[in-house]
Amino acid sequence: MSATTEPRPPAAARTEPPRGGGRPSAPARTRWRRSRRRTSLLLQAVMALMVLYTLLPLYWLAVNSTKTNGELFTSNGLWFGSEFALWDNIVTTVTYQDGIYLTWLFNTALYSVAGAVGATLICALGGYALAKFDFPGKRAVRAVVFGAITIPATALAIPTFLLFAELGITDTRLAIIIPALVSPFGLYLMTVYAADSVPDSLLEAARIDGAGAWTTFWRVAFRLLAPGVATVLLFNLVHTWNNYFLPLIMLSDPTLYPLTVGLNQLNSQVTTGANLEPVYNVVLTGSLLAIVPLIVSFLFLQRYWQSGLAAGSVKQ
Amino acid sequence: MSTAPPAALRHPARRRRRDWTGLVFVTPFLVVFTVGIVAPLVYASGLSLFRDQLIGGRSFVGLGNYAEALTDARFLEGLSRVALFLGVQVPIMIGLALLAALILDSGRVRAMRFMRIGIFMPYAVPSVVAALMWGFMYGDRFGLVAQLNEATGAALPSPLSSTWVLAAIGNVVTWEFVGYNMLILYAALRAVPEELYEAAAIDGAGEVRVALSIKIPALRPALWVATLFSIIGSFQLFNEPNVLQSLAPAAISTYYTPNMYAYQLAFNANQVTYSAAVAVLLGAITVIVAYVAQRLTERGNRR
């Protein structure tokens, strides 16, 4: 904990991209490539078509969230109606059934943040240990956990429900948060990342200066792991935010629903006519509001998830 | 490190000596892994060996539930449907993702950043919202297909008809994940050593030749990761058909996919132990297919 154990500033860590993180370190190469390539109209057109395909539904959703229920049926689906009712729709959405939408939004945020922060810390600790320590049973742990990457989360949903029903914790918040804490793929990513970005020499130096394993992790390794941590955090966040199958089977109390389950319940009400008021505008505007936080965080955290993708895709 | 005492140099494995510290660091993961994966699988596997009867209650039937599932027409129908889905949707999606990644990497398009983010964006959309959105666009109430038919007098078939609904689901899944796969492949392409391209340029290789001989072989591991996740996703198909079901109840049955069948058994048919068997069996089939696919890829790599 003396001055020499101070980690390098975070900026220094970023100069060491994860394995395969070519993007930040390849300006020279890009220049070389660009200098001899001219824009190809054909390739440009293919990409434009693909962007049109991916963005058109989002555009459709945004446009139709500005319409009243009546105009949804009478106006052109790809253009605005005569009335711009987005604000009214938002108010209707958040006040519908005593503000149930805001409860769902809160639940989604709670499950995602608690699950993702917890899972990421657990993966950072575990990945660091698997990359940098030798301990009895390490090979077995690696084999079992990495093998579990191929076990699909949805295949676990019903077994987890059955176990949790036996334990009496279905229909509680814990029933969603506990499964969200487990991320074998996150552990794998952190192991790869720790092996590449935490130099043994630095750990050795910390040790010689008398820092314990715990101090070394928090004061030295964790800062070097920051970009990997951000990636795993973001992906766990998205995973829980988008999760549907598990909460669908775990929860029966609507005030515990996340957005995904709540929105689909609203939708099946309006489409089957079980609900007296046809609230298409609530379903559409609610859907739009549900994706805005994720799109914003993706745009802000681009550099992290892009380098993280590189770390995950090149090895294995 | 030049200041390290000689003793440490003579024993470079000193920090790596076997002790329990690492295990302490992994313990939180092992705890949640046990509670979240091992215990549910063990419990459900155990439960799947029993059967509930109206008379006599729960009785041990050994592998009876599994034998029943393997001859259950509904389970097999769902399984063959997701196999068909896997065979058609996954190649299309990975092919589009590969094409987009190669185009991005060629550096021959403008507005690259916008294109990259734009194609990736659907990944941020929950599958429920994606299915709701596409469902409305497919639908005949205020959907685009209906409006197109009305405006042009065309007679496009409804995507929600039983003939087309699987393709309609395939479109939603492709839409959701094409950008994610594109970025995985693109990231791998950026990691190809520059010298390879320089050597190819000196040898006079054209761009198509470079793509076929350098880029695609270099992409093998990344292609494998993308395919693996797509295989798993196909077998586990649930969210999209479940959401579209309320729009197309005639076209999407309650046993449309194996996962929907397991859900139906557990929550509507009250056959919990049989549902456990179906879930465990489906998970096992998924892992086996993924494993076989991996072995085939490895053999291909060695060649």
mmCIF file of all heavy atoms in Angstrom, chain A residues 29 32-33 37-38 40 44 53-54 72 75 77 132 135 154 162 166 201 244 267 305, chain B residues 1 15 19 43 105-106 108 110 118 132 142 147 171 175 183 190 194 197 236 242:
data_model
loop_
_atom_site.group_PDB
_atom_site.id
_atom_site.type_symbol
_atom_site.label_atom_id
_atom_site.label_comp_id
_atom_site.label_asym_id
_atom_site.label_seq_id
_atom_site.Cartn_x
_atom_site.Cartn_y
_atom_site.Cartn_z
ATOM 1 N N ARG A 29 -3.216 1.323 -39.821
ATOM 2 C CA ARG A 29 -3.718 0.348 -40.762
ATOM 3 C C ARG A 29 -4.938 0.885 -41.503
ATOM 4 O O ARG A 29 -5.081 0.714 -42.699
ATOM 5 C CB ARG A 29 -4.088 -0.889 -39.973
ATOM 6 C CG ARG A 29 -4.706 -1.947 -40.802
ATOM 7 C CD ARG A 29 -4.832 -3.171 -39.947
ATOM 8 N NE ARG A 29 -6.185 -3.604 -39.914
ATOM 9 C CZ ARG A 29 -6.639 -4.488 -39.051
ATOM 10 N NH1 ARG A 29 -5.850 -4.969 -38.128
ATOM 11 N NH2 ARG A 29 -7.864 -4.866 -39.087
ATOM 12 N N TRP A 32 -3.870 3.098 -44.130
ATOM 13 C CA TRP A 32 -3.322 2.375 -45.261
ATOM 14 C C TRP A 32 -4.450 1.835 -46.140
ATOM 15 O O TRP A 32 -4.434 1.938 -47.351
ATOM 16 C CB TRP A 32 -2.461 1.216 -44.735
ATOM 17 C CG TRP A 32 -1.891 0.383 -45.845
ATOM 18 C CD1 TRP A 32 -0.785 0.669 -46.586
ATOM 19 C CD2 TRP A 32 -2.402 -0.844 -46.339
ATOM 20 N NE1 TRP A 32 -0.574 -0.315 -47.503
ATOM 21 C CE2 TRP A 32 -1.551 -1.260 -47.381
ATOM 22 C CE3 TRP A 32 -3.508 -1.633 -46.010
ATOM 23 C CZ2 TRP A 32 -1.763 -2.433 -48.091
ATOM 24 C CZ3 TRP A 32 -3.727 -2.802 -46.719
ATOM 25 C CH2 TRP A 32 -2.846 -3.191 -47.752
ATOM 26 N N ARG A 33 -5.459 1.302 -45.468
ATOM 27 C CA ARG A 33 -6.552 0.730 -46.240
ATOM 28 C C ARG A 33 -7.323 1.790 -46.983
ATOM 29 O O ARG A 33 -7.658 1.656 -48.130
ATOM 30 C CB ARG A 33 -7.517 0.027 -45.303
ATOM 31 C CG ARG A 33 -7.012 -1.301 -44.895
ATOM 32 C CD ARG A 33 -8.069 -1.963 -44.094
ATOM 33 N NE ARG A 33 -7.555 -3.249 -43.648
ATOM 34 C CZ ARG A 33 -8.234 -4.062 -42.895
ATOM 35 N NH1 ARG A 33 -9.433 -3.724 -42.484
ATOM 36 N NH2 ARG A 33 -7.735 -5.200 -42.531
ATOM 37 N N ARG A 37 -8.548 2.698 -51.145
ATOM 38 C CA ARG A 37 -9.907 2.263 -51.435
ATOM 39 C C ARG A 37 -10.778 3.451 -51.786
ATOM 40 O O ARG A 37 -10.802 4.429 -51.065
ATOM 41 C CB ARG A 37 -10.516 1.575 -50.198
ATOM 42 C CG ARG A 37 -9.708 0.420 -49.673
ATOM 43 C CD ARG A 37 -9.819 -0.738 -50.612
ATOM 44 N NE ARG A 37 -8.759 -1.702 -50.375
ATOM 45 C CZ ARG A 37 -8.858 -2.730 -49.554
ATOM 46 N NH1 ARG A 37 -9.951 -2.921 -48.883
ATOM 47 N NH2 ARG A 37 -7.863 -3.558 -49.403
ATOM 48 N N ARG A 38 -11.512 3.323 -52.858
ATOM 49 C CA ARG A 38 -12.506 4.341 -53.118
ATOM 50 C C ARG A 38 -13.872 3.786 -52.772
ATOM 51 O O ARG A 38 -14.078 2.579 -52.744
ATOM 52 C CB ARG A 38 -12.435 4.785 -54.564
ATOM 53 C CG ARG A 38 -11.505 6.009 -54.695
ATOM 54 C CD ARG A 38 -11.477 6.550 -56.087
ATOM 55 N NE ARG A 38 -10.738 5.659 -56.970
ATOM 56 C CZ ARG A 38 -11.072 5.446 -58.238
ATOM 57 N NH1 ARG A 38 -12.124 6.022 -58.748
ATOM 58 N NH2 ARG A 38 -10.350 4.643 -58.991
ATOM 59 N N SER A 40 -17.364 2.368 -52.911
ATOM 60 C CA SER A 40 -18.039 1.561 -53.922
ATOM 61 C C SER A 40 -19.542 1.784 -53.811
ATOM 62 O O SER A 40 -20.127 1.623 -52.751
ATOM 63 C CB SER A 40 -17.720 0.087 -53.705
ATOM 64 O OG SER A 40 -18.750 -0.715 -54.230
ATOM 65 N N GLN A 44 -22.039 0.413 -50.950
ATOM 66 C CA GLN A 44 -22.770 1.437 -50.202
ATOM 67 C C GLN A 44 -24.268 1.155 -50.238
ATOM 68 O O GLN A 44 -24.959 1.270 -49.223
ATOM 69 C CB GLN A 44 -22.482 2.807 -50.829
ATOM 70 C CG GLN A 44 -23.032 3.973 -50.043
ATOM 71 C CD GLN A 44 -22.100 4.389 -48.923
ATOM 72 O OE1 GLN A 44 -20.918 4.577 -49.132
ATOM 73 N NE2 GLN A 44 -22.631 4.499 -47.721
ATOM 74 N N TYR A 53 -33.415 -1.679 -43.291
ATOM 75 C CA TYR A 53 -34.103 -2.836 -42.698
ATOM 76 C C TYR A 53 -34.080 -2.770 -41.176
ATOM 77 O O TYR A 53 -35.087 -3.033 -40.507
ATOM 78 C CB TYR A 53 -33.426 -4.111 -43.208
ATOM 79 C CG TYR A 53 -33.835 -5.393 -42.524
ATOM 80 C CD1 TYR A 53 -35.136 -5.869 -42.598
ATOM 81 C CD2 TYR A 53 -32.897 -6.154 -41.818
ATOM 82 C CE1 TYR A 53 -35.499 -7.060 -41.985
ATOM 83 C CE2 TYR A 53 -33.241 -7.335 -41.205
ATOM 84 C CZ TYR A 53 -34.548 -7.788 -41.290
ATOM 85 O OH TYR A 53 -34.892 -8.965 -40.679
ATOM 86 N N THR A 54 -32.933 -2.411 -40.589
ATOM 87 C CA THR A 54 -32.856 -2.433 -39.132
ATOM 88 C C THR A 54 -33.518 -1.203 -38.503
ATOM 89 O O THR A 54 -34.045 -1.296 -37.401
ATOM 90 C CB THR A 54 -31.395 -2.526 -38.637
ATOM 91 O OG1 THR A 54 -30.615 -1.522 -39.274
ATOM 92 C CG2 THR A 54 -30.807 -3.895 -38.927
ATOM 93 N N LEU A 72 -54.265 5.614 -35.617
ATOM 94 C CA LEU A 72 -53.440 4.450 -35.918
ATOM 95 C C LEU A 72 -54.058 3.652 -37.056
ATOM 96 O O LEU A 72 -53.362 3.076 -37.893
ATOM 97 C CB LEU A 72 -53.348 3.540 -34.687
ATOM 98 C CG LEU A 72 -52.337 3.918 -33.617
ATOM 99 C CD1 LEU A 72 -52.490 3.004 -32.426
ATOM 100 C CD2 LEU A 72 -50.938 3.820 -34.182
ATOM 101 N N SER A 75 -54.415 6.466 -40.567
ATOM 102 C CA SER A 75 -53.341 7.230 -41.212
ATOM 103 C C SER A 75 -52.273 6.294 -41.774
ATOM 104 O O SER A 75 -52.216 5.114 -41.451
ATOM 105 C CB SER A 75 -52.708 8.187 -40.203
ATOM 106 O OG SER A 75 -52.133 7.438 -39.156
ATOM 107 N N GLY A 77 -49.022 4.410 -42.063
ATOM 108 C CA GLY A 77 -48.187 3.872 -41.001
ATOM 109 C C GLY A 77 -46.784 4.439 -40.987
ATOM 110 O O GLY A 77 -46.106 4.385 -39.970
ATOM 111 N N LYS A 132 -5.105 -15.556 -12.779
ATOM 112 C CA LYS A 132 -3.875 -15.146 -12.110
ATOM 113 C C LYS A 132 -3.481 -15.978 -10.897
ATOM 114 O O LYS A 132 -2.445 -15.720 -10.302
ATOM 115 C CB LYS A 132 -3.998 -13.675 -11.691
ATOM 116 C CG LYS A 132 -4.112 -12.714 -12.859
ATOM 117 C CD LYS A 132 -2.803 -12.634 -13.617
ATOM 118 C CE LYS A 132 -2.957 -11.891 -14.932
ATOM 119 N NZ LYS A 132 -1.730 -11.939 -15.726
ATOM 120 N N PHE A 135 -4.813 -22.664 -7.766
ATOM 121 C CA PHE A 135 -5.398 -23.174 -6.522
ATOM 122 C C PHE A 135 -5.948 -24.569 -6.755
ATOM 123 O O PHE A 135 -6.220 -24.957 -7.906
ATOM 124 C CB PHE A 135 -6.489 -22.232 -5.989
ATOM 125 C CG PHE A 135 -7.566 -21.903 -6.982
ATOM 126 C CD1 PHE A 135 -8.668 -22.729 -7.146
ATOM 127 C CD2 PHE A 135 -7.473 -20.756 -7.775
ATOM 128 C CE1 PHE A 135 -9.660 -22.417 -8.048
ATOM 129 C CE2 PHE A 135 -8.462 -20.452 -8.690
ATOM 130 C CZ PHE A 135 -9.549 -21.283 -8.820
ATOM 131 N N THR A 154 -32.655 -20.213 -21.143
ATOM 132 C CA THR A 154 -34.079 -20.553 -21.146
ATOM 133 C C THR A 154 -34.315 -22.003 -20.750
ATOM 134 O O THR A 154 -35.352 -22.326 -20.189
ATOM 135 C CB THR A 154 -34.714 -20.292 -22.525
ATOM 136 O OG1 THR A 154 -33.787 -20.710 -23.516
ATOM 137 C CG2 THR A 154 -35.048 -18.851 -22.708
ATOM 138 N N LEU A 162 -39.046 -24.633 -10.780
ATOM 139 C CA LEU A 162 -39.467 -25.774 -9.969
ATOM 140 C C LEU A 162 -38.731 -25.784 -8.624
ATOM 141 O O LEU A 162 -39.340 -26.000 -7.573
ATOM 142 C CB LEU A 162 -39.218 -27.080 -10.722
ATOM 143 C CG LEU A 162 -40.030 -27.227 -12.017
ATOM 144 C CD1 LEU A 162 -39.599 -28.457 -12.796
ATOM 145 C CD2 LEU A 162 -41.524 -27.279 -11.721
ATOM 146 N N GLU A 166 -40.235 -25.021 -4.799
ATOM 147 C CA GLU A 166 -39.992 -25.903 -3.654
ATOM 148 C C GLU A 166 -39.488 -25.092 -2.458
ATOM 149 O O GLU A 166 -39.848 -25.346 -1.316
ATOM 150 C CB GLU A 166 -38.958 -26.967 -4.067
ATOM 151 C CG GLU A 166 -38.651 -28.018 -3.035
ATOM 152 C CD GLU A 166 -39.811 -28.975 -2.806
ATOM 153 O OE1 GLU A 166 -40.599 -29.173 -3.743
ATOM 154 O OE2 GLU A 166 -39.924 -29.495 -1.673
ATOM 155 N N SER A 201 3.818 -8.850 -13.484
ATOM 156 C CA SER A 201 4.870 -8.074 -12.820
ATOM 157 C C SER A 201 4.286 -7.054 -11.840
ATOM 158 O O SER A 201 4.829 -6.820 -10.771
ATOM 159 C CB SER A 201 5.700 -7.351 -13.873
ATOM 160 O OG SER A 201 4.866 -6.560 -14.690
ATOM 161 N N TYR A 244 -37.443 -12.252 -20.497
ATOM 162 C CA TYR A 244 -38.900 -12.389 -20.548
ATOM 163 C C TYR A 244 -39.364 -13.737 -19.989
ATOM 164 O O TYR A 244 -40.255 -13.800 -19.140
ATOM 165 C CB TYR A 244 -39.368 -12.220 -21.989
ATOM 166 C CG TYR A 244 -40.825 -12.539 -22.232
ATOM 167 C CD1 TYR A 244 -41.826 -11.741 -21.688
ATOM 168 C CD2 TYR A 244 -41.197 -13.621 -23.004
ATOM 169 C CE1 TYR A 244 -43.163 -12.021 -21.903
ATOM 170 C CE2 TYR A 244 -42.536 -13.911 -23.237
ATOM 171 C CZ TYR A 244 -43.517 -13.113 -22.683
ATOM 172 O OH TYR A 244 -44.829 -13.398 -22.900
ATOM 173 N N ASN A 267 -50.602 -6.152 -24.255
ATOM 174 C CA ASN A 267 -50.832 -6.433 -25.671
ATOM 175 C C ASN A 267 -51.841 -7.556 -25.848
ATOM 176 O O ASN A 267 -52.754 -7.455 -26.662
ATOM 177 C CB ASN A 267 -49.514 -6.799 -26.348
ATOM 178 C CG ASN A 267 -49.728 -7.212 -27.786
ATOM 179 O OD1 ASN A 267 -50.294 -6.464 -28.569
ATOM 180 N ND2 ASN A 267 -49.314 -8.419 -28.121
ATOM 181 N N TRP A 305 -18.409 -1.584 -25.301
ATOM 182 C CA TRP A 305 -18.954 -2.849 -25.807
ATOM 183 C C TRP A 305 -18.276 -3.275 -27.084
ATOM 184 O O TRP A 305 -18.185 -4.461 -27.375
ATOM 185 C CB TRP A 305 -20.472 -2.847 -25.900
ATOM 186 C CG TRP A 305 -21.140 -1.771 -26.708
ATOM 187 C CD1 TRP A 305 -21.737 -0.658 -26.228
ATOM 188 C CD2 TRP A 305 -21.314 -1.724 -28.125
ATOM 189 N NE1 TRP A 305 -22.259 0.096 -27.237
ATOM 190 C CE2 TRP A 305 -22.025 -0.525 -28.414
ATOM 191 C CE3 TRP A 305 -20.953 -2.573 -29.169
ATOM 192 C CZ2 TRP A 305 -22.378 -0.172 -29.709
ATOM 193 C CZ3 TRP A 305 -21.302 -2.207 -30.457
ATOM 194 C CH2 TRP A 305 -22.000 -1.015 -30.724
ATOM 195 N N MET B 1 10.147 -3.700 -12.719
ATOM 196 C CA MET B 1 10.412 -5.031 -12.182
ATOM 197 C C MET B 1 11.888 -5.278 -11.974
ATOM 198 O O MET B 1 12.300 -6.247 -11.406
ATOM 199 C CB MET B 1 9.855 -6.089 -13.138
ATOM 200 C CG MET B 1 8.438 -6.498 -12.826
ATOM 201 S SD MET B 1 8.053 -6.444 -11.078
ATOM 202 C CE MET B 1 9.074 -7.780 -10.481
ATOM 203 N N ARG B 15 4.366 -16.269 -6.687
ATOM 204 C CA ARG B 15 3.005 -15.771 -6.518
ATOM 205 C C ARG B 15 1.986 -16.829 -6.947
ATOM 206 O O ARG B 15 0.865 -16.847 -6.499
ATOM 207 C CB ARG B 15 2.811 -14.506 -7.342
ATOM 208 C CG ARG B 15 1.554 -13.742 -6.994
ATOM 209 C CD ARG B 15 1.322 -12.633 -7.991
ATOM 210 N NE ARG B 15 1.436 -13.109 -9.368
ATOM 211 C CZ ARG B 15 0.507 -13.821 -9.975
ATOM 212 N NH1 ARG B 15 -0.590 -14.140 -9.345
ATOM 213 N NH2 ARG B 15 0.674 -14.223 -11.223
ATOM 214 N N ASP B 19 -2.193 -21.992 -3.414
ATOM 215 C CA ASP B 19 -2.806 -21.710 -2.118
ATOM 216 C C ASP B 19 -4.301 -21.519 -2.345
ATOM 217 O O ASP B 19 -4.793 -21.663 -3.456
ATOM 218 C CB ASP B 19 -2.144 -20.510 -1.437
ATOM 219 C CG ASP B 19 -2.307 -19.238 -2.255
ATOM 220 O OD1 ASP B 19 -3.193 -19.195 -3.124
ATOM 221 O OD2 ASP B 19 -1.535 -18.306 -2.029
ATOM 222 N N TYR B 43 -32.343 -30.727 -9.346
ATOM 223 C CA TYR B 43 -33.698 -30.875 -8.827
ATOM 224 C C TYR B 43 -34.677 -31.257 -9.924
ATOM 225 O O TYR B 43 -35.482 -32.195 -9.769
ATOM 226 C CB TYR B 43 -34.140 -29.575 -8.147
ATOM 227 C CG TYR B 43 -35.527 -29.656 -7.560
ATOM 228 C CD1 TYR B 43 -35.773 -30.428 -6.421
ATOM 229 C CD2 TYR B 43 -36.595 -28.989 -8.152
ATOM 230 C CE1 TYR B 43 -37.043 -30.520 -5.900
ATOM 231 C CE2 TYR B 43 -37.867 -29.076 -7.630
ATOM 232 C CZ TYR B 43 -38.091 -29.840 -6.503
ATOM 233 O OH TYR B 43 -39.348 -29.949 -5.982
ATOM 234 N N ASP B 105 -15.391 -3.807 -43.322
ATOM 235 C CA ASP B 105 -13.943 -3.942 -43.222
ATOM 236 C C ASP B 105 -13.240 -3.515 -44.504
ATOM 237 O O ASP B 105 -12.067 -3.156 -44.489
ATOM 238 C CB ASP B 105 -13.579 -5.384 -42.877
ATOM 239 C CG ASP B 105 -12.124 -5.505 -42.495
ATOM 240 O OD1 ASP B 105 -11.744 -4.903 -41.472
ATOM 241 O OD2 ASP B 105 -11.362 -6.163 -43.226
ATOM 242 N N SER B 106 -13.971 -3.547 -45.628
ATOM 243 C CA SER B 106 -13.340 -3.169 -46.889
ATOM 244 C C SER B 106 -13.029 -1.679 -46.906
ATOM 245 O O SER B 106 -12.229 -1.222 -47.710
ATOM 246 C CB SER B 106 -14.246 -3.526 -48.073
ATOM 247 O OG SER B 106 -15.313 -2.599 -48.156
ATOM 248 N N ARG B 108 -14.832 0.639 -47.932
ATOM 249 C CA ARG B 108 -15.277 1.256 -49.175
ATOM 250 C C ARG B 108 -16.669 1.860 -49.085
ATOM 251 O O ARG B 108 -17.297 2.101 -50.098
ATOM 252 C CB ARG B 108 -15.197 0.247 -50.318
ATOM 253 C CG ARG B 108 -13.760 -0.200 -50.541
ATOM 254 C CD ARG B 108 -13.605 -0.998 -51.771
ATOM 255 N NE ARG B 108 -14.087 -0.278 -52.956
ATOM 256 C CZ ARG B 108 -13.864 -0.694 -54.181
ATOM 257 N NH1 ARG B 108 -13.191 -1.786 -54.411
ATOM 258 N NH2 ARG B 108 -14.320 -0.007 -55.197
ATOM 259 N N ARG B 110 -19.150 4.927 -47.082
ATOM 260 C CA ARG B 110 -19.132 6.139 -46.265
ATOM 261 C C ARG B 110 -20.062 5.964 -45.080
ATOM 262 O O ARG B 110 -20.855 5.048 -45.039
ATOM 263 C CB ARG B 110 -19.589 7.328 -47.109
ATOM 264 C CG ARG B 110 -18.581 7.667 -48.159
ATOM 265 C CD ARG B 110 -19.029 8.870 -48.976
ATOM 266 N NE ARG B 110 -18.084 9.053 -50.078
ATOM 267 C CZ ARG B 110 -16.904 9.636 -49.940
ATOM 268 N NH1 ARG B 110 -16.538 10.108 -48.762
ATOM 269 N NH2 ARG B 110 -16.082 9.744 -50.969
ATOM 270 N N GLY B 118 -26.245 1.651 -36.646
ATOM 271 C CA GLY B 118 -27.612 1.474 -37.127
ATOM 272 C C GLY B 118 -27.985 0.002 -37.244
ATOM 273 O O GLY B 118 -29.073 -0.413 -36.843
ATOM 274 N N LEU B 132 -43.563 -7.489 -30.591
ATOM 275 C CA LEU B 132 -44.772 -6.648 -30.565
ATOM 276 C C LEU B 132 -44.794 -5.725 -31.778
ATOM 277 O O LEU B 132 -45.792 -5.625 -32.491
ATOM 278 C CB LEU B 132 -44.783 -5.775 -29.306
ATOM 279 C CG LEU B 132 -45.213 -6.393 -27.985
ATOM 280 C CD1 LEU B 132 -45.049 -5.391 -26.853
ATOM 281 C CD2 LEU B 132 -46.658 -6.833 -28.086
ATOM 282 N N PHE B 142 -53.629 -2.261 -38.371
ATOM 283 C CA PHE B 142 -53.004 -1.059 -38.921
ATOM 284 C C PHE B 142 -51.577 -1.377 -39.351
ATOM 285 O O PHE B 142 -50.679 -0.569 -39.281
ATOM 286 C CB PHE B 142 -53.061 0.125 -37.943
ATOM 287 C CG PHE B 142 -52.620 -0.184 -36.542
ATOM 288 C CD1 PHE B 142 -51.300 -0.037 -36.180
ATOM 289 C CD2 PHE B 142 -53.541 -0.604 -35.587
ATOM 290 C CE1 PHE B 142 -50.893 -0.298 -34.894
ATOM 291 C CE2 PHE B 142 -53.137 -0.875 -34.297
ATOM 292 C CZ PHE B 142 -51.810 -0.726 -33.940
ATOM 293 N N GLN B 147 -51.775 -2.180 -45.161
ATOM 294 C CA GLN B 147 -51.837 -0.877 -45.819
ATOM 295 C C GLN B 147 -51.297 -0.932 -47.242
ATOM 296 O O GLN B 147 -51.817 -0.282 -48.144
ATOM 297 C CB GLN B 147 -51.054 0.154 -45.001
ATOM 298 C CG GLN B 147 -51.758 0.493 -43.699
ATOM 299 C CD GLN B 147 -51.153 1.701 -43.016
ATOM 300 O OE1 GLN B 147 -50.051 2.115 -43.318
ATOM 301 N NE2 GLN B 147 -51.895 2.260 -42.063
ATOM 302 N N ASN B 171 -37.849 -13.654 -39.514
ATOM 303 C CA ASN B 171 -37.501 -12.272 -39.832
ATOM 304 C C ASN B 171 -37.258 -11.458 -38.561
ATOM 305 O O ASN B 171 -36.298 -10.702 -38.472
ATOM 306 C CB ASN B 171 -38.618 -11.639 -40.666
ATOM 307 C CG ASN B 171 -38.371 -10.174 -40.920
ATOM 308 O OD1 ASN B 171 -37.320 -9.792 -41.405
ATOM 309 N ND2 ASN B 171 -39.341 -9.342 -40.545
ATOM 310 N N TRP B 175 -33.726 -9.842 -37.630
ATOM 311 C CA TRP B 175 -33.667 -8.401 -37.375
ATOM 312 C C TRP B 175 -32.963 -8.125 -36.046
ATOM 313 O O TRP B 175 -32.122 -7.248 -35.950
ATOM 314 C CB TRP B 175 -35.088 -7.831 -37.366
ATOM 315 C CG TRP B 175 -35.145 -6.358 -37.129
ATOM 316 C CD1 TRP B 175 -34.947 -5.376 -38.056
ATOM 317 C CD2 TRP B 175 -35.421 -5.694 -35.897
ATOM 318 N NE1 TRP B 175 -35.072 -4.146 -37.467
ATOM 319 C CE2 TRP B 175 -35.369 -4.294 -36.149
ATOM 320 C CE3 TRP B 175 -35.715 -6.126 -34.604
ATOM 321 C CZ2 TRP B 175 -35.593 -3.350 -35.155
ATOM 322 C CZ3 TRP B 175 -35.935 -5.180 -33.617
ATOM 323 C CH2 TRP B 175 -35.869 -3.810 -33.891
ATOM 324 N N LEU B 183 -21.081 -7.410 -35.699
ATOM 325 C CA LEU B 183 -20.017 -6.769 -34.913
ATOM 326 C C LEU B 183 -19.012 -7.780 -34.387
ATOM 327 O O LEU B 183 -17.821 -7.499 -34.322
ATOM 328 C CB LEU B 183 -20.622 -5.964 -33.771
ATOM 329 C CG LEU B 183 -21.091 -4.587 -34.218
ATOM 330 C CD1 LEU B 183 -21.735 -3.837 -33.077
ATOM 331 C CD2 LEU B 183 -19.929 -3.772 -34.770
ATOM 332 N N ARG B 190 -10.913 -6.993 -37.683
ATOM 333 C CA ARG B 190 -9.978 -5.927 -37.338
ATOM 334 C C ARG B 190 -8.710 -6.491 -36.710
ATOM 335 O O ARG B 190 -7.706 -5.808 -36.647
ATOM 336 C CB ARG B 190 -10.609 -4.927 -36.351
ATOM 337 C CG ARG B 190 -11.897 -4.310 -36.821
ATOM 338 C CD ARG B 190 -11.814 -3.683 -38.161
ATOM 339 N NE ARG B 190 -11.048 -2.424 -38.168
ATOM 340 C CZ ARG B 190 -10.678 -1.793 -39.271
ATOM 341 N NH1 ARG B 190 -10.971 -2.303 -40.444
ATOM 342 N NH2 ARG B 190 -10.008 -0.660 -39.202
ATOM 343 N N GLU B 194 -1.980 -7.062 -40.210
ATOM 344 C CA GLU B 194 -1.879 -6.239 -41.422
ATOM 345 C C GLU B 194 -0.937 -6.859 -42.456
ATOM 346 O O GLU B 194 -1.155 -6.744 -43.657
ATOM 347 C CB GLU B 194 -1.403 -4.844 -41.009
ATOM 348 C CG GLU B 194 -1.347 -3.847 -42.114
ATOM 349 C CD GLU B 194 -2.710 -3.579 -42.727
ATOM 350 O OE1 GLU B 194 -3.726 -3.966 -42.109
ATOM 351 O OE2 GLU B 194 -2.764 -3.021 -43.802
ATOM 352 N N TYR B 197 -2.365 -8.752 -45.363
ATOM 353 C CA TYR B 197 -2.930 -7.994 -46.474
ATOM 354 C C TYR B 197 -1.822 -7.457 -47.371
ATOM 355 O O TYR B 197 -1.933 -7.440 -48.588
ATOM 356 C CB TYR B 197 -3.773 -6.831 -45.956
ATOM 357 C CG TYR B 197 -4.991 -7.274 -45.209
ATOM 358 C CD1 TYR B 197 -5.200 -6.888 -43.898
ATOM 359 C CD2 TYR B 197 -5.943 -8.083 -45.813
ATOM 360 C CE1 TYR B 197 -6.319 -7.297 -43.200
ATOM 361 C CE2 TYR B 197 -7.071 -8.497 -45.126
ATOM 362 C CZ TYR B 197 -7.254 -8.097 -43.815
ATOM 363 O OH TYR B 197 -8.351 -8.504 -43.126
ATOM 364 N N GLN B 236 -34.037 -22.853 -28.373
ATOM 365 C CA GLN B 236 -34.735 -22.316 -27.215
ATOM 366 C C GLN B 236 -35.821 -21.316 -27.599
ATOM 367 O O GLN B 236 -36.340 -20.617 -26.732
ATOM 368 C CB GLN B 236 -33.723 -21.634 -26.288
ATOM 369 C CG GLN B 236 -32.619 -22.547 -25.805
ATOM 370 C CD GLN B 236 -33.173 -23.682 -24.983
ATOM 371 O OE1 GLN B 236 -34.069 -23.480 -24.165
ATOM 372 N NE2 GLN B 236 -32.688 -24.884 -25.190
ATOM 373 N N ASN B 242 -44.247 -16.719 -28.635
ATOM 374 C CA ASN B 242 -45.169 -16.523 -27.512
ATOM 375 C C ASN B 242 -45.866 -15.169 -27.609
ATOM 376 O O ASN B 242 -47.072 -15.055 -27.357
ATOM 377 C CB ASN B 242 -44.395 -16.642 -26.189
ATOM 378 C CG ASN B 242 -45.287 -16.445 -24.980
ATOM 379 O OD1 ASN B 242 -45.399 -15.343 -24.465
ATOM 380 N ND2 ASN B 242 -45.946 -17.505 -24.560
#
